Amino acid sequence: MDLSKKHNIHFAGNPQASETLVFGHGFGVDQQSFSRIIPAFEERYRIVLYDNIGGGQSDISSYSYERYATLEGYVTDLMDIMTFSQGTPTTYIGHSVSGMIGLMAANRRPELFDKLVLIGSSPRYQDDPATSYTGGFDNASLQALFEAIQTNYEAWIIGFSALAMRNSDRPALAEQFARSLQALRPDIALGVAKAIFLLDQRQELPKVSHPTFILQTADDIAVPAVVSEYMERHIPGSTRIQINAQGHFPQISAPDEVIHALQSFL
Amino acid sequence: MSKWESKALEFINQTSRWDKEKHISSFLAFSISLIKNLLQADVVLQLEFENEHTAKVKNASPNFLAGAVVNPDPVRQLLYRNAFKTIYWPTIPADNPLKEQLRDLLCAVVMPVNIEPHHSVLVLAWSDPQEFEPGFQDCMETIRLRLKEILSQTQERLYFQGIAIRFAAILHSLPHAVVFINSDGYAGWVNQKAADILELAGPGEQLPAILSDAMTHLRNKAVNTEDLYNTSIQLFASPENAITGWEWKLEGAAPKTYRVSCIPVASQRINGRLWIFEE
């Protein structure tokens, strides 16, 4: 299948611009999750948006449990997308798991990337007492999470969407995320959740050779601040910023904060 | 004997001496690692085609290459263009479907090993120039044939181990005691519940003679021994006879009645009797 249809790739912004921004979305959302920050970059950048397989308007028939059992399938997809959209120096902006996917793809094919932006990303979600690493989740809480997705996906969505989005004064944001999760096939949601929450890609961090910007929010249930501090310590020459925003989706809940932070880096 | 004949023979000898007590997946890993050592390659990996969307790097050395997902179609097209013969690249072409795996290397061999249901490709690569002379290519062909056997054995063993694990889990979870006795006289099987009732050490494979003794011992504890004896004679009069709802009334400190079924199992590969005890 045509790569553009497979990943629902959209080109936006200024096609004559000398730089490109590629946006990669996280679990449970799609390229629309960047819609509130895109306008700020449309004039100066060529913009590429896509949906990960299994999410948004991607080709669902391309989903394979084997291919996407780990991040490796997504990394190969991103290398294909980056090759497809090559033209001008490219900054990859990855939210959540897509931050790690971008980082891994940049380590494999460094010539396709110029800069990396990681929004709410984590190299490992599970605590690792043996190495004194805090990821935010112990094994029991992860098993409970998978069981909840498996046994009652609808109920899990209600609880998880509110916890991940925070901003309880604006319940419409969590409802929007819940609707996005409801659009996911539950078996795919479980497969993706396992690929994400069981990953351990800490070994990839020291290999990064691109300027990297780490964006952290307050009260992120998926990625506590200690994780982004760990990333800053282990990614050579990286810069970390904590923005004035709550929850795991600052590009939705606090777009102006994200725009200002991105502009300062770009 | 030429250098390459000696290496091919060494591969056959060492893989034939492999310790069968070890897990089968380590056989393939050992064999691929041996190829790397014998041919002094810098990189070796197996690329397995798992489905139409997925080809995965396995048994790779260096290890960091393992686990990567490669788009299968471009690799399949490469093999097809070369009539599924081993491909020798004295210089790795710039446009190839294994760019990430062959980065910074000079020459490579891409060897298809076709095994159903999952075809594989063995990739060897070097950073120094190599001469893929006829003797080397003959050596690779010998290795390919042996590797095909090893892959076939590995896939079959893993497939059957998977089936055994699945069926054992299902049968051990049944609330009934289940005993299967193969009519060949060499194989029998009980689940945990049956092992408890028959006072066996544990579930799983048991010799039919042991099962027969244990069932006789259980039957002798019954208060309706005469009824059991007469019904047994009728039941075993023909291998096709079956019975359900047969009551075994046991005495003792905790008297119990089992409703017993005995069903013949007859298929192309297996013949025997399945016993089911319901409390």
Side-chain angles (χ1 to χ4, degrees):
Chain A
M1 170 179 271
D2 171 39
L3 192 74
S4 178
K5 285 183 186 162
K6 186 177 164 187
H7 289 283
N8 189 29
I9 297 174
H10 283 105
F11 290 91
N14 179 358
Q16 310 303 323
S18 59
E19 289 182 57
T20 300
L21 302 181
V22 177
F23 288 85
H25 68 82
F27 171 57
V29 290
D30 60 22
Q31 58 184 265
Q32 292 298 321
S33 60
F34 296 108
S35 61
R36 298 181 72 185
I37 62 171
I38 295 297
F41 300 97
E42 279 178 330
E43 194 179 321
R44 284 195 56 198
Y45 297 92
R46 178 173 165 262
I47 290 167
V48 181
L49 296 154
Y50 67 93
D51 290 336
N52 282 318
I53 296 297
Q57 302 300 309
S58 66
D59 173 46
I60 198 81
S61 68
S62 295
Y63 186 82
S64 150
Y65 296 108
E66 287 82 1
R67 186 178 174 99
Y68 300 108
T70 65
L71 295 196
E72 292 292 344
Y74 299 100
V75 170
T76 302
D77 286 351
L78 180 59
M79 290 190 291
D80 291 343
I81 293 165
M82 294 295 286
T83 305
F84 176 77
S85 57
Q86 272 295 288
T88 56
T90 301
T91 298
Y92 178 79
I93 299 162
H95 170 235
S96 192
V97 66
S98 276
M100 280 312 295
I101 293 167
L103 185 149
M104 290 165 70
N107 285 349
R108 310 272 168 86
R109 297 283 304 277
E111 72 279 10
L112 298 175
F113 297 79
D114 286 277
K115 295 176 188 170
L116 293 171
V117 177
L118 315 177
I119 305 174
S121 298
S122 170
R124 177 178 166 122
Y125 295 84
Q126 194 171 3
D127 298 337
D128 183 12
T131 57
S132 305
Y133 172 83
T134 302
F137 295 82
D138 60 19
N139 185 48
S141 59
L142 284 183
Q143 294 310 321
L145 183 142
F146 300 145
E147 199 179 317
I149 295 176
Q150 201 162 11
T151 52
N152 196 342
Y153 184 55
E154 292 291 324
W156 174 78
I157 286 172
I158 304 297
F160 182 73
S161 57
L163 274 173
M165 188 59 77
R166 298 289 187 199
N167 295 282
S168 54
D169 54 327
R170 292 182 286 165
L173 294 177
E175 286 165 16
Q176 180 191 344
F177 179 41
R179 280 195 298 278
S180 183
L181 282 169
Q182 278 162 345
L184 272 179
R185 243 172 56 189
D187 59 323
I188 293 180
L190 180 63
V192 177
K194 284 187 173 175
I196 294 170
F197 286 108
L198 296 178
L199 69 81
D200 185 359
Q201 297 294 347
R202 289 175 291 175
Q203 77 284 357
E204 293 278 347
L205 304 183
K207 298 179 193 167
V208 175
S209 59
H210 299 90
T212 303
F213 187 56
I214 303 164
L215 209 147
Q216 173 75 41
T217 68
D219 292 331
D220 184 340
I221 186 182
V223 186
V226 65
V227 171
S228 61
E229 287 163 8
Y230 178 93
M231 294 180 85
E232 186 184 24
R233 278 200 308 278
H234 289 83
I235 298 176
S238 61
T239 312
R240 175 179 170 274
I241 185 169
Q242 178 146 349
I243 61 169
N244 184 22
Q246 285 197 326
H248 190 57
F249 299 90
Q251 73 274 36
I252 296 173
S253 61
D256 291 341
E257 292 285 335
V258 175
I259 289 165
H260 289 140
L262 286 177
Q263 284 171 337
S264 74
F265 176 67
L266 293 169
Chain B
M1 190 183 292
S2 76
K3 177 176 85 169
W4 297 118
E5 284 171 335
S6 170
K7 285 180 186 286
L9 195 61
E10 180 73 7
F11 181 66
I12 290 168
N13 287 344
Q14 286 213 37
T15 53
S16 302
R17 286 202 302 267
W18 184 75
D19 182 356
K20 293 183 179 63
E21 294 302 310
K22 291 179 184 170
H23 193 274
I24 187 68
S25 56
S26 66
F27 186 25
L28 184 58
F30 163 77
S31 303
I32 291 175
S33 168
L34 181 58
I35 296 171
K36 183 185 182 229
N37 292 339
L38 287 171
L39 302 180
Q40 296 179 314
D42 294 307
V43 166
V44 66
L45 59 92
Q46 176 202 4
L47 185 69
E48 187 174 270
F49 295 91
E50 293 195 347
N51 60 30
E52 62 174 315
H53 302 293
T54 319
K56 267 191 197 153
V57 175
K58 299 180 175 179
N59 296 307
S61 174
N63 188 49
F64 69 82
L65 293 168
V69 169
V70 175
N71 292 324
D73 279 350
V75 185
R76 281 201 193 98
Q77 285 159 14
L78 171 73
L79 299 179
Y80 188 79
R81 283 198 302 274
N82 288 276
F84 295 94
K85 290 181 179 162
T86 302
I87 301 164
Y88 296 94
W89 282 332
T91 304
I92 296 170
D95 185 22
N96 76 78
L98 298 163
K99 275 197 197 82
E100 284 79 57
Q101 287 70 37
L102 298 177
R103 181 178 291 273
D104 300 330
L105 293 158
L106 180 67
C107 48
V109 173
V110 179
M111 188 169 78
V113 187
N114 288 345
I115 297 292
E116 293 293 346
H118 300 308
H119 294 331
S120 279
V121 169
L122 186 79
V123 179
L124 290 152
W126 295 262
S127 52
D128 298 328
Q130 300 291 315
E131 285 182 25
F132 299 132
E133 61 202 66
F136 176 88
Q137 295 191 17
D138 288 345
C139 173
M140 287 303 297
E141 185 57 21
T142 305
I143 286 174
R144 190 181 70 79
L145 292 173
R146 176 67 182 132
L147 190 63
K148 192 172 175 176
E149 286 177 359
I150 292 165
L151 266 167
S152 178
Q153 280 181 33
T154 304
Q155 288 195 11
E156 279 181 16
R157 280 276 292 275
L158 290 173
Y159 174 72
F160 287 121
Q161 280 174 1
I163 288 179
I165 289 166
R166 197 157 53 242
F167 276 91
I170 293 166
L171 290 165
H172 287 311
S173 304
L174 285 175
H176 311 314
V178 177
V179 179
F180 176 73
I181 302 178
N182 200 326
S183 38
D184 65 9
Y186 293 105
W189 192 94
V190 292
N191 69 356
Q192 181 63 58
K193 190 89 177 166
D196 295 343
I197 290 173
L198 296 175
E199 297 174 357
L200 297 167
E205 297 279 340
Q206 296 282 353
L207 284 172
I210 290 173
L211 290 178
S212 181
D213 283 350
M215 287 177 71
T216 304
H217 180 65
L218 180 69
R219 203 163 55 231
N220 288 341
K221 287 199 290 187
V223 291
N224 58 337
T225 318
E226 195 174 336
D227 168 48
L228 296 188
Y229 178 74
N230 292 332
T231 309
S232 296
I233 288 173
Q234 290 170 29
L235 177 64
F236 294 119
S238 164
E240 291 166 12
N241 287 350
I243 191 168
T244 56
W246 184 16
E247 290 195 343
W248 291 25
K249 296 175 182 170
L250 304 188
E251 60 183 2
K256 279 179 186 165
T257 297
Y258 290 111
R259 286 166 57 80
V260 179
S261 300
C262 180
I263 304 159
V265 175
S267 72
Q268 209 171 11
R269 295 279 185 90
I270 200 161
N271 283 288
R273 283 188 172 275
L274 185 68
W275 293 81
I276 301 166
F277 293 78
E278 295 175 69
E279 222 174 300

